[in-house]
Amino acid sequence: MAIDTVARPISAADITGPGAWWCNGCGDFGVTAAFKDVLLSVVNELGVPLERVFIVSGIGCSSKEPEMLRVNAYHGQHGRSIPVAMGLALANPSLVVVDFGGDGDTYGIGMEHFVHACIKNVNMTLVVMNNQVYGLTKGQASPTGHLGLKTSSTPYGKTIRPVNPLKLAIAAGAAFVARGVSWRKKELAEIMRMAITTRGFSLIDVFSPCVTYHREPGYRGSGAIVDWYRLNYVVDIKEAWRRMQEQVFSEEERSRLPADYDPTHHEAALMALRLIEEAAKMGREVTGVLLINESAPTMAEALGISADRPPALADIAIESNLAIYREWLAELR
Amino acid sequence: MWKLQVCGAGRAGDGTNTFAQLLGKILKDMGAWVFIWRDEVYSNIQTRDSAFGMRAADFPIYGPEEGFDILVAFDEGALWDWTREGRIPPIERLRAGGVLIYDSSPRLEYPNTGHEVKEELVASVAEAKGLKVFGAPFGAMAKERFGNYIVRGAIALGVLAHMLRLPVQAFERQFRRLFNEELFRLNMDALLEGVAYARHEGWEVPDLEVRLDSAEADGRQFLMGNEAVALGAIVAGCRFFAGYPITPASEVLEYMAEKLPKVGGVVVQADSEMAAIHHVIGASIGGCRAMTATAGPGFSLMQEAISAAGMTETPIVIVVSQRGGPATGLPTKVGQEDLNETIFGGHGDFARIVLSPTEPEDAFYLMGTAFNLAERYQCPVLVIYDQVFAQSQYTIPPLDPQRFSIDRGKLIGPWGPPWRGDGPFRRYLLTPDGVSPRAVPGTPGITTMYYNSNEHNEDGYITEEIPIREAMVNKRVRQRLAIIRKDSDLPPPRVGGHPEASIGFIAYASLYGPLVEVVGQLTAEGRPAKLMALRTLWPFPSKEVRRFVQSCRRVYVVEYSVGAQLRGLVQMEATGPMPRKLRSILRYDGRPMTPQYILRAMEDG
Ligand SMILES: Cc1ncc(C[n+]2csc(CCOP(=O)(O)OP(=O)(O)O)c2C)c(N)n1
Ligand code: SF4
Ligand SMILES: [Mg+2]
């Protein structure tokens, strides 16, 4: 018995919560705005009943996302949102599971789960609000903090190199890998929509600046950190492909690769990894949709679970299972 | 009363487990109550010494005794401490005048070459203990006649079959269950070889002949504690299991992996215990009855999540199979050192229930109670036991799934009528009994169900306001524990022995077994004794324990913990210090307590 209901049109007010007490100008507001647009379209246009949407989050400023919303949700422990989301996605594959976490949450304390979720290809979407710091604990450096970043825990500048989550996700076999930025709502919403409708594990790492704790020399005042990102830090993957393909790929390689960057191309992983490396040489991080590859079975499929017979709705009545229980008891003699 | 205790000893890989299994199953088929345990197993896969014990009797037994009647030795390690590390070899556990059967041929295979049982050694122990000794070249026979070293176990079984007068048909039946056609023939031939050998040599042990009446044996179960727990959980409706391999809990994962997919469930071998328990939380929120099973190190990793389940009011079941600790400790040996962590682990105050089965029959039905209580009270339920219970095989009366009833508490699902509340669904609604409704996600109309590990209001949103904080703590902890305490489904202690006795014993988990025999023996000797095995450890059954202690002149708390954790609980929750009345009987070397061990400890202290 699958859950089958009809979507009713909903408005932004229906899905708006009391708020998360974020700082004025926090990038996470942009992420929320984009997600609400997506949620409205998922329900009103794609016809997914709202009761089938489930939000999971960890602990951090970013993980307060469910406070901004009014939907079914679980707000759990720091770094542990992914395994909770996995449990939900397996218990009932007909749910739309979206996980919101921070960069510390996901790539620090929760790294174990992140890599395994990519490998296991759980059908869920993970949105990481990456701000290079631990916002909620007042600004210590996070695993994505760039070299030289000065924070309260790296007073002489960060000397440990940052993690690159996009490379990890690609290498670990995620079905959808993208980087969004919180200040471009339409683009981010489009990425989210694609991620949610992709079958398998989707990562959206979003640069979502912390206006309170992320400091860069020469960038002062509200909104300045967004400028720092825009002017110094990001490069769109399509543009990177146009500008850098000649220096990165051989002629022979280019002859097989598409003229414009195409995340669905069978060699998209290769293109993305090389461009990420090349951009890093210039101190830049790529943005945009890097990879879409739905070829691998999802974890639920691999385990033989389907949306029309979810474990959550299995018939557990004794009478319905009596014959098989008796058979198993007979084995234990 | 007939009983027999046999040890098969060799090295890991020698088939001592299969040997004990087959002998046990055959005796069980003949009507015996059989108990098989790991007498000596190390945390290695091959080459370390390995011994399995098999006890059989014509009355129910739930544990080993001291003193084997027969030792079957496949390696010199059965006879002496060849590693010279203070190991007590199985021969020390062979009773005076007992029977030693051994493989007299050289150990033919790497890496154990040279470690055969030496004649001089046999002669010296036989003399000292007055043993009856029978040496046969099992290994050489196996190689020469069958070209297969491992069938020396089957040849040895044949020798025993002759000496104990076990019918060959009984072996045939078990071999058929265990082997394919080719292996069946091979093993039957080897067995018959052993029978012929012993007959030819005229080997007899009339005092050990098996005397059994198979009339009642039909339908009795023969299973490991871990299997009873796993199957009990499935019958209770568990359809999601996540776990990470760890001794002595892995059999639960393995059993679930085999069975759950066949009833629409799912098993996840998680990337760690942290992942496992959070999968379980997710699946429970998703609408499954969900469980994990672990031991010491893995259980420590789960503490944060257990606290989260308490705060978010998510029903989960956690099985804790204890081994010797701390840290990695004694991975394959028994301990009861995690009781405090089970009851007091996880940060913060929250309601939880801790149950403990005494033997597999109890465990099977107890799992039904565990899931019902978890969902009724929306809290973590921990089921705690120990390695002896977990990995020993017990013979128990037939089990009946129809004795289960499933109560999902205040869970609303798409199977029921659509939810029609006025206003949004409130996950933490304050209700008269303090338990809020919960729903399976996807249930029509429910779109605002917010579980939160931060302190929250009725809607689930974060708040730190004083009146709400107080109301939520009261609901979640005080009111919850108060109604849990009143629930008549909480398993009462299991009591036994002479009701008027002045000597009492308190214990839990596998120690129920030896204590039944201890109180039986004491009472028979004219020193009436009684026992109380605790099956609910939290909320602690203070009243029952206090009454029990009051009715005795002396009470022994028996446990596998140098810290005497159970006694600490008894004192803290029921009796106060009572230094004169309460005594501890402790064992912390990782070996099972036998009735004799307990009786000796009692006399000593
Ligand atoms: C196990 C555990 N360790 C530490 C903390 C403290 N803590 C709360 S939030 C946080 C870091 C949050 O950083 P991030 O995930 O990047 O989220 P942000 O606040 O930046 O959005 C930490 C370390 C915790 N809650 N739990
Ligand atoms: S501290 Fe940083 S991340 Fe947290 S709310 Fe403020 S701006 Fe956002
Ligand atoms: Mg952060």
Side-chain angles (χ1 to χ4, degrees):
Chain A
M1 173 185 57
I3 296 172
D4 197 16
T5 52
V6 188
R8 58 197 161 88
I10 54 168
S11 67
D14 293 331
I15 54 167
T16 300
W21 300 94
W22 287 326
C23 308
N24 256 334
C26 176
D28 298 351
F29 284 110
V31 177
T32 305
F35 181 67
K36 279 164 112 178
D37 282 1
V38 174
L39 201 50
L40 291 179
S41 88
V42 163
V43 174
N44 295 340
E45 288 154 34
L46 298 183
V48 175
L50 185 59
E51 49 261 33
R52 258 198 246 167
V53 175
F54 206 102
I55 305 300
V56 182
S57 73
I59 292 294
C61 293
S62 41
S63 290
K64 290 192 180 152
E65 188 62 36
E67 301 283 315
M68 300 293 291
L69 305 170
R70 195 175 291 281
V71 285
N72 294 333
Y74 178 84
H75 184 171
Q77 299 308 112
H78 188 40
R80 311 293 161 211
S81 58
I82 293 172
V84 173
M86 289 169 74
L88 274 151
L90 293 172
N92 189 348
S94 74
L95 299 178
V96 174
V97 180
V98 184
D99 181 337
F100 288 91
D103 43 335
D105 223 24
T106 311
Y107 313 130
I109 195 167
M111 179 63 107
E112 161 199 346
H113 310 305
F114 168 62
V115 175
H116 278 278
C118 295
I119 296 171
K120 291 176 175 165
N121 200 27
V122 194
N123 189 21
M124 61 179 274
T125 297
L126 172 66
V127 180
V128 180
M129 301 181 215
N130 179 353
N131 55 12
Q132 308 200 31
V133 294
Y134 284 0
L136 193 59
T137 45
K138 295 190 173 287
Q140 301 84 355
S142 92
T144 54
H146 65 79
L147 279 175
L149 179 68
K150 280 196 179 171
T151 71
S152 57
S153 63
T154 54
Y156 307 109
K158 197 172 174 233
T159 54
I160 302 294
R161 63 181 174 176
V163 59
N164 189 310
L166 304 178
K167 286 204 292 190
L168 270 174
I170 292 169
F176 180 96
V177 181
R179 157 81 50 63
V181 296
S182 64
W183 57 91
R184 292 203 294 261
K185 180 173 114 170
K186 261 180 87 175
E187 177 193 284
L188 182 57
E190 186 47 35
I191 293 175
M192 286 176 172
R193 212 182 330 267
M194 289 166 80
I196 288 171
T197 50
T198 296
R199 219 183 87 261
F201 185 79
S202 302
L203 167 70
I204 310 172
D205 183 88
V206 186
F207 284 142
S208 177
C210 172
V211 294
T212 304
Y213 294 113
H214 184 182
R215 295 267 172 265
E216 294 293 341
Y219 290 84
R220 300 209 165 270
S222 75
I225 202 67
V226 176
D227 290 338
W228 175 82
Y229 269 102
R230 278 199 328 204
L231 302 173
N232 299 285
Y233 205 59
V234 296
V235 52
D236 183 76
I237 188 92
K238 290 196 171 113
E239 193 190 325
W241 173 246
R242 269 194 302 276
R243 288 211 323 239
M244 301 195 285
Q245 58 173 281
E246 281 182 33
Q247 63 205 71
V248 181
F249 293 94
S250 69
E251 225 180 279
E252 188 271 322
E253 282 171 324
R254 271 183 289 137
S255 69
R256 334 187 285 260
L257 297 173
D260 289 324
Y261 186 86
D262 176 6
T264 62
H265 190 271
H266 67 277
E267 291 195 84
L270 174 86
M271 292 190 278
L273 288 171
R274 301 260 282 270
L275 289 173
I276 290 169
E277 299 263 309
E278 200 58 25
K281 287 182 194 158
M282 306 180 309
R284 297 257 173 180
E285 288 273 346
V286 299
T287 61
V289 178
L290 273 55
L291 179 79
I292 306 174
N293 180 351
E294 292 188 291
S295 64
T298 65
M299 185 174 188
E301 286 163 359
L303 292 174
I305 308 163
S306 67
D308 30 281
R309 286 186 57 239
L313 300 180
D315 180 3
I316 61 173
I318 307 291
E319 292 307 320
S320 323
N321 295 281
L322 201 52
I324 197 158
Y325 293 163
R326 292 219 165 112
E327 192 182 300
W328 293 346
L329 282 166
E331 288 167 7
L332 297 170
R333 280 202 182 128
Chain B
M1 284 217 305
W2 171 85
K3 60 183 184 173
L4 175 74
Q5 191 156 282
V6 180
C7 177
R11 301 285 188 92
D14 277 347
T16 49
N17 188 9
T18 315
F19 177 87
Q21 289 293 319
L22 282 167
L23 184 61
K25 285 190 175 161
I26 281 145
L27 289 167
K28 192 225 159 211
D29 282 351
M30 293 170 66
W33 298 82
V34 174
F35 179 86
I36 292 180
W37 75 102
R38 302 179 177 209
D39 179 67
E40 191 178 13
V41 170
Y42 296 88
S43 187
N44 303 73
I45 302 310
Q46 266 192 347
T47 81
R48 273 291 342 220
D49 301 281
S50 157
F52 282 77
M54 191 285 315
R55 184 182 180 200
D58 60 4
F59 52 92
I61 46 171
Y62 299 103
E65 261 201 306
E66 204 152 284
F68 291 109
D69 301 302
I70 301 175
L71 169 63
V72 181
F74 295 99
D75 187 278
E76 66 172 329
L79 268 61
W80 77 297
D81 177 23
W82 64 280
T83 51
R84 295 191 175 80
E85 58 180 352
R87 183 181 151 254
I88 302 172
I91 190 80
E92 304 275 336
R93 297 186 278 286
L94 183 57
R95 67 170 163 81
V99 172
L100 170 64
I101 299 171
Y102 71 99
D103 185 347
S104 63
S105 57
R107 290 221 58 157
L108 297 171
E109 290 192 350
Y110 177 82
N112 300 325
T113 25
H115 287 290
E116 57 278 343
V117 180
K118 316 278 194 305
E119 300 289 338
E120 320 80 79
L121 196 57
V122 173
S124 70
V125 291
E127 167 94 28
K129 295 188 87 161
L131 303 179
K132 301 185 197 72
V133 177
F134 304 91
F138 300 132
M141 287 160 73
K143 274 240 146 150
E144 278 162 30
R145 317 258 161 93
F146 304 101
N148 185 330
Y149 193 58
I150 197 74
V151 298
R152 66 199 188 117
I155 301 176
L157 271 180
V159 166
L160 261 186
H162 172 75
M163 293 168 76
L164 299 175
R165 300 277 181 269
L166 305 173
V168 170
Q169 305 84 284
F171 286 86
E172 247 181 273
R173 191 178 144 195
Q174 283 301 337
F175 282 15
R176 279 247 179 262
R177 279 180 71 170
L178 204 64
F179 302 124
N180 65 20
E181 184 55 34
E182 190 187 339
L183 285 177
F184 169 77
R185 276 265 61 90
L186 177 69
N187 280 280
M188 273 316 288
D189 290 347
L191 179 93
L192 293 171
E193 185 81 19
V195 173
Y197 188 96
R199 184 182 302 129
H200 180 260
E201 297 289 322
W203 288 352
E204 308 287 341
V205 280
D207 55 320
L208 290 182
E209 274 174 28
V210 174
R211 285 173 280 118
L212 282 167
D213 163 18
S214 76
E216 272 183 87
D218 271 6
R220 275 184 205 152
Q221 315 281 162
F222 183 60
L223 75 181
M224 239 184 236
N226 275 339
E227 290 170 331
V229 165
L231 185 49
I234 296 174
V235 176
C238 174
R239 289 296 179 270
F240 186 99
F241 181 89
Y244 189 87
I246 189 165
T247 308
S250 296
E251 290 84 8
V252 180
L253 164 68
E254 288 159 5
Y255 193 84
M256 289 294 196
E258 187 185 320
K259 303 301 191 202
L260 265 195
K262 298 186 177 169
V263 285
V266 60
V267 171
V268 181
Q269 183 174 337
D271 38 274
S272 72
E273 285 85 351
M274 288 183 291
I277 190 161
H278 283 99
H279 292 333
V280 166
I281 289 177
S284 171
I285 291 169
C288 285
R289 286 196 151 185
M291 175 173 110
T292 184
T294 190
F299 186 51
S300 289
L301 289 181
M302 292 182 178
Q303 296 307 318
E304 185 196 20
I306 295 172
S307 166
M311 180 56 147
T312 59
E313 304 189 35
T314 305
I316 57 173
V317 175
I318 306 130
V319 167
V320 185
S321 182
Q322 300 173 96
R323 60 195 215 180
T328 305
L330 304 172
T332 59
K333 297 191 163 65
V334 70
Q336 293 185 334
E337 300 173 45
D338 306 330
L339 181 60
N340 282 344
E341 193 181 17
T342 306
I343 295 175
F344 303 114
H347 53 291
D349 290 325
F350 55 94
R352 82 183 83 198
I353 298 168
V354 180
L355 308 179
S356 179
T358 48
E359 37 78 22
E361 183 187 13
D362 185 12
F364 181 68
Y365 301 113
L366 190 107
M367 294 312 289
T369 309
F371 279 95
N372 284 348
L373 292 174
E375 287 204 318
R376 198 175 295 154
Y377 301 114
Q378 302 179 7
C379 70
V381 173
L382 299 106
V383 177
I384 184 171
Y385 48 81
D386 57 54
Q387 184 274 338
V388 171
F389 166 87
Q391 294 188 311
S392 299
Q393 282 155 295
Y394 294 71
T395 312
I396 53 166
L399 297 172
D400 179 9
Q402 284 176 300
R403 273 178 52 189
F404 281 66
S405 68
I406 293 176
D407 167 19
R408 305 209 63 179
K410 291 192 183 174
L411 182 67
I412 300 167
W415 49 76
W419 183 78
R420 288 195 213 294
D422 41 349
F425 186 85
R426 314 179 110 180
R427 173 63 194 94
Y428 300 110
L429 184 73
L430 294 168
T431 61
D433 66 359
V435 183
S436 318
R438 204 170 75 88
V440 177
T443 301
I446 295 178
T447 60
T448 58
M449 180 173 59
Y450 182 16
Y451 288 81
N452 200 336
S453 96
N454 289 273
E455 190 55 276
H456 41 253
N457 62 22
E458 289 179 271
D459 291 316
Y461 288 104
I462 298 179
T463 183
E464 299 188 0
E465 296 312 320
I466 294 169
I468 305 180
R469 163 73 179 173
E470 285 186 343
M472 284 295 156
V473 172
N474 284 335
K475 157 197 204 303
R476 203 166 51 225
V477 192
R478 298 180 96 167
Q479 205 179 354
R480 196 68 48 87
L481 278 169
I483 46 170
I484 291 172
R485 278 206 183 88
K486 288 196 201 112
D487 194 309
S488 61
D489 282 355
L490 280 183
R494 195 163 175 177
V495 289
H498 196 290
E500 315 285 286
S502 61
I503 305 171
F505 295 87
I506 298 178
Y508 73 107
S510 75
L511 285 169
Y512 168 75
L515 284 177
V516 170
E517 296 185 52
V518 166
V519 298
Q521 192 167 325
L522 287 171
T523 307
E525 285 167 9
R527 300 157 72 193
K530 59 187 176 187
L531 74 93
M532 172 174 268
L534 303 185
R535 296 160 69 236
T536 299
L537 284 151
W538 201 260
F540 196 79
S542 307
K543 232 187 269 157
E544 289 92 332
V545 170
R546 202 175 302 127
R547 249 189 243 130
F548 181 83
V549 172
Q550 272 163 2
S551 74
C552 296
R553 282 221 324 273
R554 171 136 305 161
V555 173
Y556 296 90
V557 183
V558 189
E559 55 189 314
Y560 293 110
S561 151
V562 72
Q565 297 186 3
L566 179 61
R567 177 178 166 175
L569 270 174
V570 167
Q571 292 171 327
M572 187 170 87
E573 294 294 324
T575 66
M578 293 204 159
R580 287 222 269 228
K581 194 185 250 191
L582 289 181
R583 294 287 153 93
S584 274
I585 293 179
L586 311 175
R587 185 163 197 178
Y588 40 87
D589 59 9
R591 272 58 175 194
M593 283 201 231
T594 58
Q596 293 77 9
Y597 181 98
I598 295 167
L599 287 165
R600 252 194 331 268
M602 204 185 134
E603 305 306 338
D604 292 351

